[in-house]
Amino acid sequence: MPASHPCTTLAGKLRRTLVAGLTLLLFAAPSLSADEAPARREVRIGVLAFLGAEAAVSEWSPLKRRLEAALPRYVFRLVELDHARMDAAARAGELDFVVTNPGHYVELESELGASRILTLDSGKGRSAAEALGSTVVARSDSRDLDTLADLRGRRVAIVGTEAFGGYQLVWRELAALGIDPARDLSALKVVGYPMDEVLAAVERGEADAGVVRACVLEGRPQWASRLRVVGRRSETDHPCATSTRLYPDWAIATLHHTPPELAKSLAIALLGMERGDEGMAWAVPADYQAVHDLFRELQIGPYAYLREPTLMVMAERYWPWVAAAAALVVLWILYTLRVEHMVHLRTAELRAALDARDVLERRMRDSQEQAEHLARLSVLGELSGTLAHELNQPLAAIGNYAQSLERRVDNHRLTDAAVREAAGEIAAQAERAAGIIGRIRSFARKRVAQRERVAPSELVREAVALFRGMLASAPEVSITDELPPDTTIEVDPLQIQQVLLNLLKNAWDATRELAPERRPLALRLARTDGTIRILLRDQGPGLDAAAQARLFEPFFTTKRDGLGLGLSICRRIAEAHGGRLTAEAPVEGPGMVFALSLPSHD
Ligand code: ADP
């Protein structure tokens, strides 16, 4: 809104009439040709009117008169509108130009692409670029209220929070001092237009200070003695006292659809206005950057979006929570790292323990195999004392047959039949000897355990043959096979033979000194459910309960030269096959019954 008012003196009126006449003469030709046109185009100029439509019309009538005189082809209409209505009309394309204050102009520029073509040049010592400022006033008798910083904690009267010159300019200065009006003032009293209301509120003591546009106070001499300026800035050439920085004056702007030709004609016409003619003049468009800066700093108008919470703003506002969350995340990361480290350590420990166990197991297996081998050798050792006798038989028989052949040769009684018979016997005896030696060799061999599917009856018979083959005076061993035909077990045959041989040898040990009728041993093969049982019964002296309890302990022996390992190894072999080895007294009669149970695999 222009600060100057149309001159109302008689001389002024005369001058205006003269200028109007001259302008008519100047533009007479185009006007005539325009008259020939069917209709004159209406040009609608929206003017911001916050003091009411009448005030606006009287303020801007020089503009209308000038344009009508200069551009007679057009009909100019001033449309007085408040902020909101002007926005709506501009958006709806109902206006060709807008005349508004710098704050509102910058908003329209950002939102609707309004583009200033001229800035009002109010004169009176003010440049168009530095025309507007605000003044903070207080009662002359007020104390401790000299600078804007003194407003902290005071009641301040304003026209409205949306008023550019009536509040926002001062707001920027307060913000620069670190004062947030909403928080740091004791009250912000909105009194509305006209601005004199602000002066009245301060005068009545309803507010400690008030904000008015610069030059308002100077235009009201009646207030001059009662009010004074707070925070007066001295560095400007502004003719009135201001408490704020200065901003460019009102602008006239085009809108999107305004024809450029029309804009150009209008600009030329207005630039030609002399202040002396109509009390109004226009200058080339000023720089409105200062207005942008104000809005940006206050985060209002087109920069209101800056108030929307960004990540940084949220982080600043909720920093204790953010810090707590960050601390939690850090703790969690540390915890995870620690857990991972622990898992790593424990895994390494576990791996080392497993390796150690593997080594131990391997060693145990080795020593068990060693022990089994030793046990086998020990059985053989005990039995092989008589092995020589056993081998003597076939060897003696072979020798006999060879000698008889020799004799027959000497006596010339050698017949083909005799040679054949002798050779056959020699071969049979040699085979018997070879069989005994072969079985002993394979039994004594050092080897790794291996499983085979075999018939238990076969296994038992072989063990008995080996046992009897190694003894000169072997006891009778009867075999009662109650197993269904084709019964098989999956075992290491040599290990099971070792068990049977051990049991047979122990039984022989227990009975060989006894009367001949107690020496025979009885083997029985039976099946209960899925278990094959091989039972060896002897008729020896048996064992008392204490000895029976310790029977399977390693190194338990009652023999002078015994090792006491046989039965413990036998039980371990039985268990390794998923079976059992037990000993008990027979239901009737003397002796012991040893039972080897093995799972059947049919
Ligand atoms: P060793 O034969 O070297 O003593 P074993 O472990 O084979 O070792 O036998 C342990 C002990 O069990 C024998 O010393 C013996 O006292 C007893 N024993 C084993 N079998 C019989 C049996 N059939 N009758 C009586 N005692 C037995």
Side-chain angles (χ1 to χ4, degrees), residues 328-357:
L328 276 178
V329 169
V330 168
L331 282 177
W332 182 75
I333 290 171
L334 288 177
Y335 174 75
T336 312
L337 286 177
R338 190 179 147 67
V339 167
E340 258 181 40
H341 179 65
M342 295 297 287
V343 167
H344 196 73
L345 279 184
R346 295 303 300 272
T347 311
E349 278 173 18
L350 211 65
R351 198 169 294 136
L354 284 175
D355 288 350
R357 201 192 67 178

Side-chain angles (χ1 to χ4, degrees), residues 179-198:
I179 298 173
D180 176 359
R183 190 190 57 207
D184 300 325
L185 301 183
S186 85
L188 202 55
K189 293 173 100 54
V190 177
V191 298
Y193 287 101
M195 277 194 178
D196 289 22
E197 287 301 321
V198 171

Side-chain angles (χ1 to χ4, degrees), residues 502 506 510 538 543 551 556-559 562-564 566-567 592 594:
N502 223 308
N506 279 349
D538 67 66
L543 283 167
L551 200 56
F556 171 74
T557 182
T558 57
K559 296 168 198 167
L563 264 178
L567 284 180
M592 287 292 289
F594 279 81

